[in-house]
Amino acid sequence: MLYNNKFIQHNHHHESCHCDCKNMAHNHAHLSHDLNCHQDSIPSCGGDCHTDDCHTTAKKNQCDDSPDDPDRQSSQTKLIWKIKGMDCAHCAQKIENGLKTLPNICQTKIIFSTQKLVVFVPQKNEKTIKLIEDKVTELGYTPIFESTPEHTHHHEHSHGFDKKALIPLAVLGGLIVVSYLLLLFNKTAGEYAFIVTAIIGLIPILKEALILARSGTPFAIESLMSISAIGALFIGAAEEATMVIFLFMIGEMLEGVATSKARQGISSLAKLMPEETVIIIDGERKTIASHNLKPGDIIEISSGGRLPADVILISEQANIDESALTGESIPVNYLSGDKILAGSLVVDNTIELKVVSDVGQNAVDRILQLIEDAEERKAPIERFIDKFSRYYTPAIALLALLVIVVPPVLFNADWYTWFYRGLTLLLIGCPCALVISTPAVITSALSNAAKQGILIKGGAALEHIGSVKLVAFDKTGTLTEGKPQITDIINQNANSTEALLAIVAAIESGSHHPLAKAIVEYVKQNQIPFVEANNRKTIAGVGIQGEINQQIFYIVSPNKISTVSMALTDEQIKIINQLETAGKTVIVAVTDQKLLGIIALQDVLRADAITAINQLHQLGLKTLMLTGDNERAAKQVAKQLNIDYRSQLLPTDKLAEIEKIRNTTAIAMVGDGINDSPAMKAASVGIAMGSGTDVALETADAALTQNSLLSLPKLIRLMRFAYRNIKQNITIALGIKLVFLVTSLLGFTGLWLAVLADSGATAIVTANALRVLKFKNKGE
């Protein structure tokens, strides 16, 4: 049926999803399914994978299959660890590089936002697990093995700064004070004291540098620090060596504090899940661990308690606060039989519910999983920085060596002066601030958006959303409620109006299209009997047909009637034109010989559509409506919204329109139906309404889970702010490096200022990223 060209929905079998589709009867069903479709996806050893596909080892043949080979995915085992002490993205790179040297490792994935290490191996065995844990421990981190993937989001909620890290800093600070006091009374004793202090502070750094060098990271900041400190001691600058080490430790501590705060937005989602739940068994109440719940369990939640799983309400009614998941502050009233998402808060009274989600498969787990998966989809600018940083540090190290050697050898310059300047340059070579400048912002933006009921699938989507200049919309179900009502029924040649409606309902029965559902519902409400037509099928680009009493009937758009039946009379055309001019959608029921009747329906705008479009215009964005509806109905809606439009478009026409615009302008496509999916995929960025079909949600780069158009300007503002923040961070990181590169070469800055600049830059870009986490839209 050619209503807004969503006739494809008649044959929707969820073929684009990579998991089992469970059609839950609730307005959150599509969101739950979409998130579930990402739950068990195994990343391939391509794209942004940093593990060189599979490592060259004696058992390499176990991992030689194509990364996208389904057999390979099913044969691999996924091992997951929680990594304590992974305070920055640079730490994550150290672990990743270290694991490259181990045998039988097919792929590794570091999820910095949730401090996870995921390793794919040919098969699980204790020897492999111990080998991985020993390597992570050797690198200075604490691995906590997750026995089952289902529990990976629970029970480890603490992301605060570890105060034990202050002990080495306090000890070294105390030794520096003692050394200065000795220096005041006895210069020689003070100098020796500084040498001893520098050595004490250097030992752990040097030890880690050696481990990292053996693990494939020779140009880590620890290595550069060690060389600079040893060089400073060698030329008699023990005081500076000590201060360099002390400032480095302060910088590392500040970086850890800032990064733990950046992760709090993600961890706050996990905190929504209660540790224990009251379960009802044979009428008796018993408290059990929430992760032991399984589908079918009956639980009881008191007022003020949070739901530990996705559930169906058994009690008569309940007021539920979903703000933590959707950003909507007003509680929602649910009735018996409704599905409610995990993490929601019970507002008023004690209620009974039935668990419907498996362990590790509830809404909170799926949102966390989607955020984790999003880290793999790096923004182009982030991929560039990763590549740049791999060459930057070795280049600076080579430059430092040339600075040390060339002036004294070729120009007979002072060895001490240029040796000192070369050591200073080494400290400029650490790319920490640059490496963390982008992922810290992306993690903060993903977290902030999730708390506002917006899911973004990765850094690439974030960058594209921030650069959008034009937003295109589907009409039905996106700009309108998608719940049209019958306004006019004009009988032409049917036996009666009831007979006409019975024929149309018989053919439309079973369709998921909003207009078809509206007609069937209207017929049922008026208690008009009908029987489903036989041999119902879609006629591509025309409409739908069915057989009743061995006669074929067609339901089509008026402008397609000539393909299946006789042409309309002038009087009939006049009636249809009048209806369409009033902004109504018209369909006609025909046989191959005559017109049986005309039915007009009208959809209403979403309550928030006008406000959302106005806010987009205030942001300087152009807007466009793409619809399969007739010209007059489309014009009526576009006039109310003050939006440009294209009407009578087939899905292929929408796709062509988007591709044409994308060649000159960054465009976002917002839709909810299957027929919107090709256009959403072709756009610079696709955005799905939370009430949309599973295919639309799967295709989209972002989803408005609150199902409100007002989330769209919020998303644009947040992404623009985040993208500006990324550019600020890169400018800060590279700007400080450039300034100190020049001043160090000219001899204006020394070792301690260089390390202060490096640590300071890292702290500044991380703190700047935290602004994205705290960003609030206007009116909030």
Side-chain angles (χ1 to χ4, degrees), residues 86-262:
M86 189 167 63
D87 294 326
C88 65
H90 193 51
C91 297
Q93 283 189 346
K94 294 175 188 175
I95 297 173
E96 198 169 280
N97 290 336
L99 293 179
K100 283 182 182 181
T101 61
L102 300 181
N104 295 331
I105 306 296
C106 289
Q107 186 183 5
T108 61
K109 182 173 72 170
I110 301 291
I111 305 167
F112 169 60
S113 61
T114 49
Q115 293 180 293
K116 293 249 191 84
L117 165 64
V118 180
V119 182
F120 293 93
V121 297
Q123 59 183 15
K124 177 181 176 181
N125 59 65
E126 292 302 320
K127 183 179 178 181
T128 302
I129 292 173
K130 188 175 187 305
L131 201 63
I132 294 169
E133 290 182 347
D134 287 346
K135 174 58 70 173
V136 173
T137 303
E138 182 186 355
L139 292 170
Y141 307 98
T142 304
I144 301 173
F145 185 64
E146 303 281 1
S147 57
T148 57
E150 289 81 3
H151 297 164
T152 57
H153 294 313
H154 299 309
H155 315 307
E156 278 293 333
H157 302 325
S158 177
H159 294 285
F161 174 69
D162 186 0
K163 294 181 180 178
K164 291 181 180 178
L166 291 171
I167 296 174
L169 189 65
V171 171
L172 188 63
L175 290 173
I176 290 173
V177 171
V178 172
S179 299
Y180 267 116
L181 291 175
L182 283 174
L183 191 65
L184 292 175
F185 294 101
N186 188 313
K187 185 177 180 181
T188 303
E191 288 175 351
Y192 279 115
F194 269 113
I195 292 173
V196 172
T197 301
I199 292 172
I200 291 173
L202 181 60
I203 287 173
I205 299 173
L206 181 60
K207 181 180 177 183
E208 186 172 353
L210 293 172
I211 293 171
L212 290 170
R214 289 200 303 269
S215 301
T217 312
F219 292 103
I221 180 59
E222 289 81 4
S223 303
L224 304 181
M225 278 294 310
S226 299
I227 294 171
S228 296
I230 291 170
L233 289 173
F234 180 73
I235 61 175
E239 294 176 43
E240 286 203 77
T242 305
M243 288 306 299
V244 163
I245 294 168
F246 185 65
L247 289 171
F248 169 73
M249 292 174 68
I250 291 176
E252 291 284 285
M253 181 198 69
L254 291 175
E255 186 179 337
V257 171
T259 308
S260 66
K261 286 185 177 180

Side-chain angles (χ1 to χ4, degrees), residues 475 578-585 601-603 629-630 632-634 636-637:
K475 182 175 82 70
Q578 288 175 345
L579 293 170
E580 290 183 346
T581 302
K584 299 174 182 180
T585 300
L601 303 94
Q602 192 165 32
D603 199 359
D629 214 340
N630 66 78
R632 295 181 183 86
Q636 189 77 10
V637 172

Side-chain angles (χ1 to χ4, degrees), residues 31 49 98 260 281 299 323 375 381 387 509 627 689 776:
L31 167 62
C49 177
S260 66
I281 303 174
I299 61 174
S323 58
E375 290 197 19
I381 194 169
K387 188 177 291 185
S509 181
T627 177
M689 300 301 293
K776 290 188 177 181

Side-chain angles (χ1 to χ4, degrees), residues 560-579:
K560 299 293 181 181
I561 194 171
S562 60
T563 62
V564 296
S565 184
M566 304 293 289
L568 297 171
T569 65
D570 291 341
E571 181 63 27
Q572 291 165 347
I573 292 173
K574 182 179 178 182
I575 293 171
I576 291 171
N577 286 342
Q578 288 175 345
L579 293 170

Side-chain angles (χ1 to χ4, degrees), residues 394-564:
I396 292 293
L398 178 61
L399 177 62
L401 179 62
L402 293 175
V403 167
I404 291 172
V405 174
V406 172
V409 172
L410 296 184
F411 305 104
N412 200 29
D414 179 53
W415 276 97
Y416 177 93
T417 300
W418 290 100
F419 190 83
Y420 183 87
R421 291 180 183 181
L423 294 178
T424 305
L425 274 183
L426 270 182
L427 297 179
I428 304 297
C430 175
C432 286
L434 189 61
V435 168
I436 202 173
S437 61
T438 303
V441 174
I442 290 173
T443 299
S444 297
L446 293 175
S447 174
N448 189 328
K451 288 190 290 184
Q452 297 189 58
I454 305 167
L455 293 180
I456 306 164
K457 300 178 182 178
L462 181 150
E463 185 172 334
H464 292 146
I465 293 169
S467 61
V468 161
K469 303 297 181 185
L470 185 150
V471 182
F473 296 88
D474 170 51
K475 182 175 82 70
T476 304
T478 301
L479 292 173
T480 65
E481 290 287 352
K483 298 176 182 177
Q485 304 293 322
I486 291 179
T487 58
D488 301 88
I489 304 168
I490 302 169
N491 182 13
Q492 293 287 295
N493 289 298
N495 293 332
S496 64
T497 300
E498 288 75 13
L500 171 65
L501 288 171
I503 291 171
V504 176
I507 296 172
E508 294 287 18
S509 181
S511 171
H512 296 290
H513 192 281
L515 297 184
K517 290 166 73 174
I519 293 170
V520 173
E521 186 177 339
Y522 179 88
V523 171
K524 288 180 178 179
Q525 285 177 351
N526 286 274
Q527 298 181 343
I528 300 172
F530 69 93
V531 179
E532 278 192 20
N534 297 320
N535 302 320
R536 288 180 296 119
K537 64 179 181 179
T538 296
I539 307 172
V542 177
I544 187 172
Q545 71 178 52
E547 186 179 319
I548 303 173
N549 296 328
Q550 298 182 337
Q551 183 177 5
I552 297 177
F553 295 89
Y554 302 90
I555 311 297
V556 297
S557 177
N559 62 348
K560 299 293 181 181
I561 194 171
S562 60
T563 62
V564 296

Side-chain angles (χ1 to χ4, degrees), residues 52-110:
D52 302 329
D53 297 330
C54 294
H55 312 302
T56 306
T57 68
K59 297 187 179 181
K60 185 184 175 211
N61 63 319
Q62 296 186 52
C63 302
D64 273 345
D65 300 325
S66 168
D68 298 317
D69 186 349
D71 293 333
R72 177 193 170 195
Q73 292 184 352
S74 62
S75 64
Q76 288 181 2
T77 300
K78 182 179 181 181
L79 305 177
I80 302 174
W81 284 266
K82 188 88 169 179
I83 305 297
K84 285 191 173 182
M86 189 167 63
D87 294 326
C88 65
H90 193 51
C91 297
Q93 283 189 346
K94 294 175 188 175
I95 297 173
E96 198 169 280
N97 290 336
L99 293 179
K100 283 182 182 181
T101 61
L102 300 181
N104 295 331
I105 306 296
C106 289
Q107 186 183 5
T108 61
K109 182 173 72 170
I110 301 291

